[in-house]
Amino acid sequence: SVLETTDFRKQVVEEVLELYPEKAKKNRRKHITVKENNECSSCAVKSNAKTVPGLMTARGCAYAGAKGVVWGPVKDVTHISHGPVGCGFYSWANRRNLAEGEIGVDNFVPFLFTTDFQESDIIYGGDKKLEKVIEEVVELFPNTKGVSVLSECPVGLIGDDIESVARRMTEKLKLPVIPVRCEGFRGISQSLGHHIANDAIRDHLIGKGPKRDVGPYDVGIIGDYNIGGDAWASKKILEEMGLNVVNIWTGDSTVEMLQNGHLVKLNLIHCYRSMNYMARHMEETYGTPWLEFNFFGPTKIRESVLKIAAMFDDVIMEKAHAVLEKYEAEMQKVIEIYRPRLEGKKVMLYVGGLRPRHVVGAYEDLGMEVIGTGYEFAHGEDYDKTMANIKDGTLIYDDVTAYELEEFVNKLKPDLVGSGIKEKYVFEKMGLPFRQMHSWDYSGPYHGYQGFPIFARDMDMAINSPTWKSIKAPWAK
Ligand code: ICE
């Protein structure tokens, strides 16, 4: 029964935390809960707080949130990772944010630009070098529509003034040069990096583009980074509904799309965590309304399509129903193939700031059950939104440590773990099927009607691979 399950899972939490010293135990207990009695208040999770020093977190830094997440996918801008070479190198080309265009001409996504700080730059300051690198980049790639400067930790520590460099270079090159003060040490996770990156869009781009008229069906997609082609799959649905997608932030995105983000009838936001700041700003400053949606799995797509269509007229509503009719028949066939192979399988998730709640419906469409989920860097409102998407008895863990997650999985025994590269091999070595839910494991898209069949195939491939019959976790022998 749900009650027994809940009690068992609460007991598991106590057992796992037992290892910690008193103070750490007290801290960590606030971040972990089991959903009970369908209530939010009873299952409040502490979140968006500093990781306990000494515990192994999977979180990233502000630079990761600003460069890797928000700015990196803007394709016609050259992004300079300002500081030592490592941050740029390790964030180079691994998020799988796809972009169309001629590489080196109007698409710079595959490149890494860095000021490659040396000891002397730390001692004497890096502003001169930054100036030189900006000029060099623009000379090499004259089509670049802007340059972003993404600070790494040492830039903030030595007090370089990248804003004045950016101002000077903007004037000299007649090009937006955008300083983003996203030193990794700022804040407690990549979440602040999202916010800083949003603020830079607000301060340097929004409202500064070539004016254009807003059509009655013009919409923007906010918070879709086109991982494995996700944004293209989202766009396809909206266009078939009769809407005109003029902006995408920031997957396969251009500077002009960012400048004109407010020039739409409605902004549609997928990743609330990373871009709610700009959605709010555009509403407050320009009166552009926004709406949250979820395109993972046919059930959530249906809800979202109808919600979006309701914001427009009968023409759009009629087309929306036609879209649902056409694709739901296709999705039913997908479900008929995969559901019998996946029915009743249990999943545990651990991802960043959106997917731990947004993908739940897609698993449920396949007859699977999410028994545990958690975020690296979600805020309170994300946990509130999560509760509506999960069942009583679900274990919830915020900024879960490597030790805790391993032990929770050990004791709850899911059939599949969905998390990131830091977790992947730990669980595969335990003999457990695993899928990367950040990068889609080199697959995708998972959004939209194009994505769901791929998602279903991938989960089946992971769980029902004959490989698992040939290996056993070392302790199971
Ligand atoms: Fe939003 Mo990895 Fe994207 Fe989310 Fe965000 Fe990150 Fe991607 Fe993950 C992301 S923007 S990079 S949907 S920072 S997969 S919150 S952690 S769940």
Side-chain angles (χ1 to χ4, degrees):
S1 73
V2 179
L3 227 104
E4 279 166 349
T5 310
T6 305
D7 282 346
F8 168 71
R9 289 178 189 166
K10 280 161 110 180
Q11 190 192 318
V12 162
V13 173
E14 293 310 316
E15 282 168 20
V16 170
L17 296 183
E18 205 39 56
L19 184 88
Y20 291 141
E22 231 13 81
K23 220 174 139 191
K25 195 194 294 177
K26 211 174 131 208
N27 178 309
R28 287 301 304 153
R29 192 182 277 118
K30 295 182 196 146
H31 292 264
I32 304 168
T33 193
V34 177
K35 188 190 175 189
E36 271 184 286
N37 307 323
N38 212 16
E39 265 178 29
C40 269
S41 52
S42 64
C43 51
V45 189
K46 192 173 159 76
S47 61
N48 195 27
K50 204 172 100 180
T51 303
V52 178
L55 297 185
M56 185 57 91
T57 177
R59 280 172 163 175
C61 64
Y63 163 86
K67 190 265 187 179
V69 174
V70 175
W71 277 95
V74 183
K75 66 179 173 182
D76 60 356
V77 168
T78 39
H79 307 288
I80 298 177
S81 290
H82 185 37
V85 70
C87 309
F89 181 79
Y90 286 109
S91 62
W92 183 20
N94 49 26
R95 187 154 168 262
R96 310 192 59 252
N97 41 279
L98 308 187
E100 262 176 346
E102 199 79 40
I103 293 168
V105 178
D106 54 5
N107 174 10
F108 306 105
V109 167
F111 291 92
L112 157 67
F113 302 96
T114 175
T115 43
D116 184 22
F117 260 34
Q118 303 299 314
E119 234 169 66
S120 59
D121 301 313
I122 304 280
I123 296 163
Y124 299 108
D127 286 355
K128 286 214 173 62
K129 191 174 195 180
L130 175 62
E131 223 173 284
K132 215 173 125 205
V133 168
I134 294 171
E135 289 202 70
E136 202 177 302
V137 166
V138 174
E139 196 185 314
L140 282 170
F141 300 100
N143 279 339
T144 187
K145 293 285 178 340
V147 179
S148 73
V149 178
L150 297 131
S151 295
E152 299 168 10
C153 289
V155 173
L157 293 171
I158 63 178
D160 273 6
D161 188 0
I162 66 165
E163 281 86 357
S164 82
V165 175
R167 259 195 314 274
R168 265 203 311 281
M169 297 314 279
T170 297
E171 244 168 65
K172 186 169 177 192
L173 302 169
K174 307 275 171 260
L175 203 65
V177 177
I178 302 143
V180 190
R181 299 301 304 241
C182 57
E183 286 87 353
F185 59 75
R186 291 184 195 273
I188 50 158
S189 71
Q190 52 270 65
S191 184
L192 187 65
H194 302 147
H195 200 154
I196 291 168
N198 278 227
D199 287 353
I201 296 172
R202 179 196 64 198
D203 294 343
H204 297 275
L205 294 181
I206 194 94
K208 294 185 174 138
K211 295 277 170 291
R212 67 167 152 69
D213 295 331
V214 181
Y217 300 131
D218 286 0
V219 295
I221 300 176
I222 305 275
D224 192 330
Y225 303 92
N226 206 28
I227 308 306
D230 280 342
W232 293 328
S234 304
K235 190 176 170 199
K236 189 167 160 47
I237 295 178
L238 297 170
E239 285 182 345
E240 284 191 40
M241 287 169 67
L243 299 172
N244 186 23
V245 179
V246 291
N247 299 323
I248 302 179
W249 287 25
T250 56
D252 196 25
S253 193
T254 63
V255 154
E256 197 182 322
M257 289 184 194
L258 295 175
Q259 289 171 324
N260 287 334
H262 58 304
L263 297 180
V264 291
K265 281 280 177 237
L266 180 67
N267 267 318
L268 297 164
I269 183 162
H270 211 243
C271 179
Y272 178 86
R273 182 67 274 130
S274 61
M275 278 200 166
N276 72 84
Y277 318 100
M278 277 311 290
R280 285 172 202 289
H281 173 71
M282 287 187 270
E283 182 179 47
E284 283 160 16
T285 309
Y286 304 97
T288 317
W290 56 279
L291 185 73
E292 264 186 272
F293 74 111
N294 179 356
F295 273 177
F296 281 110
T299 303
K300 290 294 170 190
I301 298 175
R302 163 172 273 272
E303 282 173 22
S304 296
V305 162
L306 293 175
K307 197 166 77 168
I308 295 164
M311 301 291 286
F312 293 90
D313 54 19
D314 291 348
V315 179
I316 299 294
M317 188 51 94
E318 208 171 293
K319 283 189 181 157
H321 279 288
V323 167
L324 293 176
E325 205 177 311
K326 173 180 164 193
Y327 286 105
E328 285 184 349
E330 274 181 35
M331 296 306 112
Q332 201 43 48
K333 284 187 200 135
V334 173
I335 290 171
E336 273 159 29
I337 296 168
Y338 292 104
R339 192 162 177 141
R341 300 168 62 82
L342 296 169
E343 187 85 54
K345 299 288 187 201
K346 296 183 169 60
V347 189
M348 283 174 75
L349 300 169
Y350 181 58
V351 214
L354 171 84
R355 292 169 178 177
R357 69 171 174 279
H358 253 198
V359 299
V360 173
Y363 282 109
E364 288 176 350
D365 284 335
L366 295 169
M368 299 168 77
E369 191 194 346
V370 174
I371 61 168
T373 194
Y375 300 90
E376 289 177 21
F377 51 81
H379 298 204
E381 46 187 347
D382 299 302
Y383 282 98
D384 290 345
K385 290 171 195 282
T386 306
M387 296 306 162
N389 290 285
I390 56 173
K391 292 204 192 97
D392 269 358
T394 307
L395 178 62
I396 304 159
Y397 27 79
D398 175 70
D399 186 23
V400 75
T401 69
Y403 155 75
E404 290 161 13
L405 187 59
E406 197 174 329
E407 282 306 301
F408 289 154
V409 167
N410 232 336
K411 290 175 194 285
L412 264 56
K413 308 210 175 337
D415 302 288
L416 177 76
V417 179
S419 193
I421 190 66
K422 303 187 206 78
E423 294 80 17
K424 182 180 173 86
Y425 300 105
V426 173
F427 295 111
E428 287 190 343
K429 284 175 186 168
M430 285 165 77
L432 267 175
F434 186 96
R435 286 299 300 188
Q436 286 197 70
M437 295 305 283
H438 297 257
S439 67
W440 307 147
D441 257 321
Y442 326 108
S443 181
Y446 283 178
H447 286 179
Y449 291 123
Q450 286 169 298
F452 183 67
I454 298 169
F455 171 79
R457 180 205 62 192
D458 287 358
M459 297 310 135
D460 174 48
M461 196 163 67
I463 289 179
N464 294 310
S465 162
T467 314
W468 304 116
K469 296 198 187 92
S470 323
I471 70 157
K472 251 202 177 111
W475 59 88
K477 277 184 194 144

